[in-house]
């Protein structure tokens, strides 16, 4: 289970490993930033946990996408951390998958000057979180929600789009 823990120092990423009968095996907070929030966690093919979300180093800084690799067997010990950000925007990793020996993150990008103006950014890395490439989907007011793969080997992204002017919400589904 992944999420956030609010402390006096700020928002910390939180993980708990629970057995099938509900017994807590281990739990871990990850700190060091003004804000650190985990949005999604998946079990990778190597048996370790891959996590995405965002970090904000200091109050007022742009949010950056984060990806952590954590040892499940090693009480949540962080194996590596990667982060991506672009000036003038907040980027939040919403969901991720492992697909064709790569990690894929769907994120929501918010314009710093107009926070309601959002779009999707896709991040694609190797299984060490390196060799990252990014691809924006510049549809106004679009927020990333999920990324999935089908049994037939296709990858899909899901989002929603809501223009504040017309207040009509639309579902966005794309095959990659």
């Amino acid at each position: 289970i992944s999420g956030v823990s609010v402390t006096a120092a700020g928002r910390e990423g939180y993980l708990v490993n629970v057995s099938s009968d509900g017994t807590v095996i281990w739990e871990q907070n990850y700190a060091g930033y003004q804000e650190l929030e985990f949005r999604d966690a998946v079990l990778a093919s190597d048996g370790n946990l891959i996590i995405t979300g965002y970090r904000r180093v200091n109050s007022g800084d742009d949010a950056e996408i984060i990806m952590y690799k954590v040892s499940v067997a090693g009480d949540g010990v962080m194996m590596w951390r990667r982060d991506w950000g672009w000036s003038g925007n907040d980027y939040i990793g919403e969901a991720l998958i492992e697909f064709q020996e790569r990690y894929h993150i769907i994120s929501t990008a918010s314009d710093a000057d107009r926070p309601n103006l959002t779009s999707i950014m896709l991040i694609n890395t190797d299984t060490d979180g390196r060799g990252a490439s990014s691809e924006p989907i510049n549809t106004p007011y679009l927020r990333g929600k999920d990324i999935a793969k089908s049994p037939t080997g296709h990858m899909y992204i899901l989002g929603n789009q809501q223009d504040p002017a017309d207040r009509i919400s639309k579902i966005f589904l794309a095959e990659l």
Side-chain angles (χ1 to χ4, degrees):
I1 299 172
S2 67
V4 65
S5 174
V6 179
T7 68
R11 299 169 61 92
E12 299 178 352
Y14 175 76
L15 284 180
V16 60
N17 186 357
V18 181
S19 70
S20 59
D21 68 1
T23 304
V24 173
I25 298 168
W26 54 259
E27 59 185 321
Q28 182 75 261
N29 277 355
Y30 300 82
Y33 308 106
Q34 179 70 29
E35 292 179 46
L36 177 63
E37 184 173 317
F38 296 152
R39 293 285 179 102
D40 195 22
V42 297
L43 193 60
S45 60
D46 66 4
N48 293 301
L49 202 58
I50 302 298
I51 305 158
T52 193
Y54 77 94
R55 75 175 186 165
R56 192 178 311 270
V57 177
N58 298 300
S59 182
D61 286 354
D62 293 337
E64 299 174 332
I65 300 165
I66 56 103
M67 183 167 57
Y68 283 25
K69 187 171 216 175
V70 173
S71 170
V72 174
D75 294 341
V77 172
M78 185 182 358
M79 300 169 71
W80 50 255
R81 182 201 83 224
R82 310 287 184 252
D83 47 76
W84 301 274
W86 292 265
S87 182
N89 291 291
D90 283 340
Y91 288 90
I92 297 174
E94 304 284 3
L96 69 106
I97 64 169
E98 181 177 2
F99 184 68
Q100 297 178 342
E101 300 180 8
R102 312 254 328 146
Y103 297 139
H104 304 270
I105 299 172
I106 184 171
S107 69
T108 297
S110 300
D111 186 298
D113 297 323
R114 298 173 294 169
N116 286 333
L117 186 58
T118 58
S119 61
I120 289 178
M121 177 72 78
L122 297 171
I123 307 290
N124 172 343
T125 76
D126 65 18
T127 54
D128 286 324
R130 302 213 183 271
S133 63
S134 60
E135 185 67 36
I137 299 176
N138 290 320
T139 301
Y141 309 109
L142 186 61
R143 292 183 178 276
K145 294 297 179 189
D146 206 359
I147 188 166
K149 59 186 173 185
S150 73
T152 58
H154 295 98
M155 190 165 60
Y156 297 90
I157 59 172
L158 176 68
N160 76 307
Q161 182 181 23
Q162 183 175 359
D163 184 335
D166 64 20
R167 300 178 53 103
I168 296 173
S169 187
K170 302 172 188 169
I171 294 173
F172 177 86
L173 179 64
E175 179 180 351
L176 303 177

